[in-house]
């Protein structure tokens, strides 16, 4: 088992046995299935199949209830079969068990025997086939082959030799079955395709609706399979005890050839070679031409396929063939996964992956939770498999080349062709087109970001343009970006100044204001938390550092956190909030680290006013007080702002409005910072915090605040939507979700 | 025999001549196809006869019922609880087929979109699955720090005798979180039983002592926030000055369910699944409830007025009156174009619950359409009475119908469109009948005023598609 959780299967990469059995039996002429169990099994399986094939899927149930579960389901099963015969008039009924029937020990063979006697069933015109397919037994793959094997065991009979080849089809699409039949017709060989879902699960529109769709393997042909020239079975990973071909070989001496499903050059070659060897006929020119076209297509696509790093997942039989076509075309199947527990498959694959130059991860008996955990670190750029991968694709923002069962999120899966030379060409077109589409969409921006934006001789105005781009998705710089999420990583506990309006305490999750956080994170923890948050909020666009202390007084932590997160996700917008004291020291490095947006709190440009706001300023180890402290901090703030703005950083200036202290000089401050290049100012009301020097000050009310913002609005852009967030805020401005992520980091 | 079948199936008096009421309907032939036990669940509406109708029963074996199982019912009700860890205790299929298949949206947590299964195998069936379940809960607690876990029992858990209640209780004590056992073995009833089991699980979460009754604060039951529908209704009510305290269960969370008892009123949209919860909340907390429906203009209006009336607040009533008349006027204008294109078309309905069917019949009337067949998976007796009252003479009414019955009556009644779920869609298409998806997988809203327009739009784009011209030609119509 390759799963991260021992007792849980999280986000399943497999389905159950009765589904596989029902699916296989759909390929038999005049057939209908009844599942012996509770009503849900048949309904869920019908829904699962109907959405893939876009065909009506009628599967009956014996609808066991409490009575049946306690006293046995004989009565239900018998009346169920009887009703089915009346309504559908089938030629053959598949009677398969579910978990419930097998757990209560239902003897379906006995029940069916009794039924035939009691109802005087003419078994020449109505066949009843039974198979045990408990959901806990194995997966849909095993269920598929069990149903085929049991059908052959119960129907095939020795008779006159025929001149046909039995073809046991893997769980392929109707389009593929039609394709393989075309090939066989071209070769001119007689065959029995079993099962044959080409018409039953992809029927055309007809004037009159038929409850049992026409088509499927003829019952007489199934009887006659014991007398064929040979059997070709697509079932290389299938245990021999489940193999219908093995049964025919063991009991009737029909030679058995086991091949992979003919997807890819070599698999198609070996399939056709086998046919040729059995019947002694040459492969006709029209097929050889198609082979030539595939080779041509492989050349056309090779450079793009060489860039594919894929996860290949699904039914083991299909995955095996896909790994081969990947190998032929230089596609790297970095992760190969199946939900089935199939040691034969694992061995076969481990043998194949020796041919790759890269380490391949093989996951047998796995789930999507595990696949996802491997996906994040392996530069995956494509998923190849069924639509159960769609939630993973959504998270990783990747395309899926949809192949296998089920495909629930796109139309046409029943018609798509991946087998043969033509289908293989179709497949590699899809994989290479996924690369081409990405290239087309992104190569301009990528080259710009890589070679122009980060070139040493930056032109300020151009850099500014790209930083303005970042600003478009930054909720604190752009009110129209409110739908984007941001997270504050609380990695900076220490502070270098003491403000009279501040009292930092760490552990109140119900209080929301700057300086408050529930936990302090180390850089590694910050990365882990980022990954967790990113999984929840796809629109997470911004990582901010806003304390709870002063970012630039904890610069080692800041630097390391940014580097780690950037490594994981190069597209993140970084911003930082600072009191500006140390800006002249770190401005250059902030630019190099890729900070696009920086907020500086500048409450005044007058030292005597600053003296009333800051109690202490600790600058390079020296403690300043009063007007001197004001001069030091204001000079550094303004120098820093000028430098950053000149270098294209989008700067926001926060101004804490304190009634009676700095309200008279707000407009002057705003004018000054505008001259120095600030992009926006954010005038915020002081929150009188208990325990702070200003705790008894009355804050400005909303009207006063609006008045002053409006006044300053004539000077420069104002921020009206500030929420004065916590140092560990997560989510959108309007909805903080930080508590949900606490202690998870 | 044939005449007997006829009267059994359709509840007709022997002397009534069928073809008089329903032209082009070859009842004898179709009835012959039906299963005898099913005949009392099929009713031809007629003012002159009593409704002896079979519903709220178990499905007939071999009938190819469209219903799922008890587990399905419970999953429908609980799945939208966004921050819960839903563990399906059983073999893989039950979890695999219900993984993130519904269109319920979340405004915060996304945990519910994952599928957790204990993936029981043969050994577990023999030796019991309790150990594995305990281990599964331990792992989830260790890796995710959950607040709330649901453990669904599936068929075999009911048979092998795992004491799921005990495992859950132990885990609650050990971790001080909520671990709720949902008793949903598939065979232990039908889908409706599952709804009840889901509702019982919800009741266990509610905090009786969660404080005073908020004025004008209500709970919204039976909306699963498909395509954001609960958000649409929340916005409407907010405009009237009504606060939604909890939604059950669309976009809900452990905390939001906990505080549900503090509401003044419960309104119930999906009556089939949630009336039971409303009744239990009335018993336990004394919260009254009313049934509402936000599908179709008539029902939206009635529902909003009912809520306003109940709250007995003049300002709400005034706002409700303005809101409804403005919205209705605007919507009616927008619907005009569709009405013209849909006039006289015939609709067939097959949905989960009776209450939705009732709204749909009215909605079709608003569009100038006639409902010729209406069936549900789990409708109640009183709902079928209402269906009968509001549908026309000659309308076919069905409970727990199977594909053969749907096929017969759609063709015989000449339905232009079927409203139904995923499994019914390919059948309609094969018969050359248009289709409207009214299921839990849809990704567009059908409730409220915007939903009414979406609905008309969808009916129009399917019924009036150019595709049918070629199909009709093919048929030689």
């Amino acid at each position: 088992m390759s799963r991260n959780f021992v007792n849980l299967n999280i986000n399943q990469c497999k389905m159950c046995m009765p589904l596989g059995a029902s699916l296989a039996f759909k390929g038999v002429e005049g057939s209908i299935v009844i599942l012996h169990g509770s009503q849900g099994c048949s309904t869920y399986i019908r829904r699962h199949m109907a959405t893939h094939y876009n065909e009506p899927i009628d599967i009956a149930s014996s609808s066991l209830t409490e009575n049946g579960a306690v006293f046995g389901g004989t009565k239900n099963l018998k009346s169920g079969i009887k009703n089915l015969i009346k309504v559908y008039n089938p030629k053959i009924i598949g009677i398969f068990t579910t978990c419930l029937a097998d757990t209560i020990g239902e003897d379906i063979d006995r029940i069916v025997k009794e039924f035939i006697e009691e109802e005087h069933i003419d078994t020449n015109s109505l066949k009843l086939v039974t198979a045990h397919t408990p959901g806990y037994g194995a997966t849909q793959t095993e269920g598929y082959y069990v149903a085929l094997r049991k059908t052959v065991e119960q129907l095939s009979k020795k008779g006159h030799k025929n001149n046909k080849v039995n073809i046991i089809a893997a769980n392929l699409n109707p389009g593929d079955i039609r394709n393989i039949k075309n090939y066989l017709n071209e070769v001119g060989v007689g065959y029995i395709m079993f099962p044959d879902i080409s018409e039953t699960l992809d029927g055309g529109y007809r004037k009159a609706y038929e409850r049992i769709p026409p088509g499927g393997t003829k019952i007489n042909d199934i009887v006659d399979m014991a007398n064929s020239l040979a059997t070709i079975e697509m079932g290389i990973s299938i245990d021999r005890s489940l193999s219908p071909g093995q049964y025919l070989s063991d009991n009737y001496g029909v030679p058995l050839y086991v091949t992979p499903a003919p997807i890819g050059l070599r698999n198609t070659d070996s399939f056709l070679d086998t046919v040729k060897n059995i019947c002694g006929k040459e492969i006709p020119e029209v097929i050889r031409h198609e082979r030539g076209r595939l080779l041509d297509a492989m050349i056309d696509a090779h450079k793009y396929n060489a860039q594919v790093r894929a996860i290949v997942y699904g039914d083991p039989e299909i995955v095996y063939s896909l790994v081969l076509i990947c190998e032929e075309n230089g596609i790297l199947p970095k992760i190969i996964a199946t939900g089935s527990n199939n040691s034969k498959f694992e061995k076969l694959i481990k043998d194949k992956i020796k041919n790759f130059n890269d380490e391949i991860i093989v996951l047998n008996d796995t789930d999507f939770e595990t696949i996802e955990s491997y996906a994040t670190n392996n530069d995956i750029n494509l998923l190849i498999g069924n639509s159960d991968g769609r939630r993973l694709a959504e998270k990783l923002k990747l395309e899926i080349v949809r192949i296998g069962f089920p495909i629930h999120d796109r139309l046409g899966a029943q018609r798509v062709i991946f087998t043969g030379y033509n289908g293989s060409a179709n497949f590699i077109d899809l994989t290479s087109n996924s690369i081409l589409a990405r290239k087309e969409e992104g190569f301009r921006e990528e080259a710009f970001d890589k070679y122009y934006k980060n070139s040493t001789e930056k032109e300020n105005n151009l850099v500014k343009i790209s930083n303005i781009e970042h600003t478009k998705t930054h909720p604190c710089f752009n009110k129209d970006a409110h739908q984007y999420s941001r997270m504050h990583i609380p990695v900076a506990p220490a502070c270098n100044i003491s403000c009279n309006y501040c009292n930092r305490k760490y552990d109140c999750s119900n209080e929301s204001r700057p300086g408050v956080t529930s936990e302090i994170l180390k850089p590694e923890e910050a990365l882990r938390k980022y990954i967790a948050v990113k999984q929840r909020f796809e629109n997470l666009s911004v990582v901010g550092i806003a304390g709870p202390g002063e970012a630039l007084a904890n610069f080692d932590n800041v630097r390391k956190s940014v580097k780690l997160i950037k490594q994981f996700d190069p597209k993140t917008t970084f911003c930082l909030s600072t009191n500006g004291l140390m800006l002249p020291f770190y401005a250059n490095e902030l630019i190099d680290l890729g900070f696009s947006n920086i907020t500086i709190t500048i409450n005044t440009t007058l030292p005597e006013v600053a003296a009333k706001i800051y109690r202490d300023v600790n600058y390079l180890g020296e403690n300043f007080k009063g007007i001197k402290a004001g001069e030091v901090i204001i000079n550094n703030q303004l120098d820093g702002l000028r430098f950053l703005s000149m270098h294209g950083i989008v700067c926001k200036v926060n101004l804490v409005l304190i009634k009676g202290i700095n309200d008279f000089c707000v407009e002057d401050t705003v004018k000054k910072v505008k001259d120095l290049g600030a992009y926006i100012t954010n005038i915020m009301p002081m929150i009188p915090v208990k325990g702070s020097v200003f705790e008894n000050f009355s804050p400005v009310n909303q009207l006063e605040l609006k008045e002053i913002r409006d006044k300053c609005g004539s000077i420069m852009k104002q921020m009206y939507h500030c929420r004065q967030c916590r140092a560990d805020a997560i989510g959108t401005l309007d909805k903080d979700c930080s508590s949900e992520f606490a202690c998870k980091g | 025999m044939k005449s007997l079948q006829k009267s059994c199936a359709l509840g007709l008096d022997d002397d009534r001549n069928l073809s008089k009421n329903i032209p082009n309907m070859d009842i004898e032939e179709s009835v012959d196809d039906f299963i005898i036990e099913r005949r009392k669940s099929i009713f031809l509406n007629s003012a002159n006869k009593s409704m002896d109708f079979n519903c709220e029963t178990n499905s007939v074996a071999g009938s190819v019922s469209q219903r799922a199982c008890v587990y399905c019912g419970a999953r429908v009700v609980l799945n939208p609880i966004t921050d819960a860890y839903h563990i399906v205790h059983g073999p893989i299929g039950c979890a695999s087929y219900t993984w993130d298949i519904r269109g319920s949206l979340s405004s915060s947590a996304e945990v519910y979109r994952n599928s957790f299964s204990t993936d029981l195998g043969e050994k577990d069936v023999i030796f019991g699955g309790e150990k594995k379940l305990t281990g599964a809960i331990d792992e989830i607690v260790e890796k995710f720090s959950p607040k709330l876990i649901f453990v669904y029992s599936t068929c075999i858990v009911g048979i092998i005798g795992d004491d799921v209640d005990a495992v859950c209780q132990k885990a609650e004590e050990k971790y001080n979180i909520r671990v709720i056992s949902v008793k949903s073995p598939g065979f232990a009833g039908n889908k409706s039983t599952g709804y009840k089991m889901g509702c019982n699980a919800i009741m266990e979460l509610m905090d009786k002592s969660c404080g005073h009754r908020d004025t004008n604060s209500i709970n919204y039951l039976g909306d699963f926030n498909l395509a954001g529908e609960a958000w649409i209704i929340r916005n409407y009510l907010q405009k009237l000055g009504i606060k939604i305290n909890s939604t059950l269960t669309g976009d809900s969370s452990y905390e939001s369910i906990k505080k549900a008892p503090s509401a003044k009123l419960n309104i119930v949209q999906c009556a089939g699944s949630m009336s039971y919860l409303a009744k239990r909340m009335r018993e336990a907390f004394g919260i009254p409830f009313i049934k509402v429906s936000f599908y179709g203009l008539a029902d939206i209006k009635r529902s909003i007025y009912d809520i306003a009336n109940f709250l007995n607040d003049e300002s709400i009533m005034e706002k409700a009156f303005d809101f409804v008349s403005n919205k209705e006027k605007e919507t009616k204008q927008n619907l005009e174009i569709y009405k013209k294109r849909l006039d006289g078309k015939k609709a067939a309905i097959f949905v989960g619950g009776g209450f939705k069917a009732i709204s749909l019949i009215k909605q079709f009337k608003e569009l100038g359409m006639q409902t010729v067949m209406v069936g549900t998976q789990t409708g109640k007796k009183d709902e079928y009475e209402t269906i009968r009252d509001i549908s026309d003479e000659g309308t076919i009414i069905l409970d727990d119908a199977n594909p053969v019955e749907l096929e017969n009556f759609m063709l015989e009644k000449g339905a232009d469109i079927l409203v139904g779920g995923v499994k019914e869609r390919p059948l309609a298409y094969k018969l050359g009948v248009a289709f409207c998806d009214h299921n839990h997988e849809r990704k567009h809203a059908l409730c409220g005023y915007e939903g009414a327009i979406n609905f008309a739009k969808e009916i129009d784009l399917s019924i009036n598609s150019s595709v049918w011209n070629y199909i009709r030609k093919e048929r030689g119509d």
Side-chain angles (χ1 to χ4, degrees), chain A residues 378-392:
Chain A
N378 279 300
D379 285 334
I380 299 300
N381 58 14
L382 187 65
L383 305 188
I384 300 174
N386 59 46
S387 69
D388 281 343
R390 66 185 182 274
R391 297 89 169 180
L392 179 59

Side-chain angles (χ1 to χ4, degrees), chain A residues 555-569:
Chain A
F555 201 67
D556 288 344
N557 281 348
V558 170
R559 185 192 295 119
K560 195 161 177 198
S561 304
V562 170
K563 281 188 171 165
L564 285 173
I565 292 174
K566 224 171 135 179
Q567 217 170 14
F568 176 77
D569 190 353

Side-chain angles (χ1 to χ4, degrees), chain B residues 134-145:
Chain B
T134 308
I137 296 171
D138 290 344
E139 280 188 281
I140 285 188
V141 171
E142 188 190 317
K143 297 270 172 58
F144 303 112
S145 350

Side-chain angles (χ1 to χ4, degrees), chain A residues 421-452:
Chain A
Y421 302 122
N422 51 337
S424 304
N426 175 35
F427 176 80
I428 58 173
D429 285 345
L430 290 175
T431 53
S432 43
N433 283 343
S434 77
I435 296 292
L436 282 168
R438 279 182 160 232
K439 264 262 144 75
E440 281 294 326
E441 275 167 26
F443 82 98
R444 288 186 168 79
E445 196 189 343
E446 195 188 321
F448 178 85
D449 288 353
K450 233 175 169 168
Y451 308 124
Y452 194 88

Side-chain angles (χ1 to χ4, degrees), chain A residues 508-526:
Chain A
C508 178
S509 66
N510 291 322
E511 198 167 347
S512 183
R513 59 177 169 81
V516 172
T517 180
S518 298
E519 55 186 348
I520 300 293
L521 299 181
K522 293 194 184 95
E524 294 76 14
E525 292 169 336

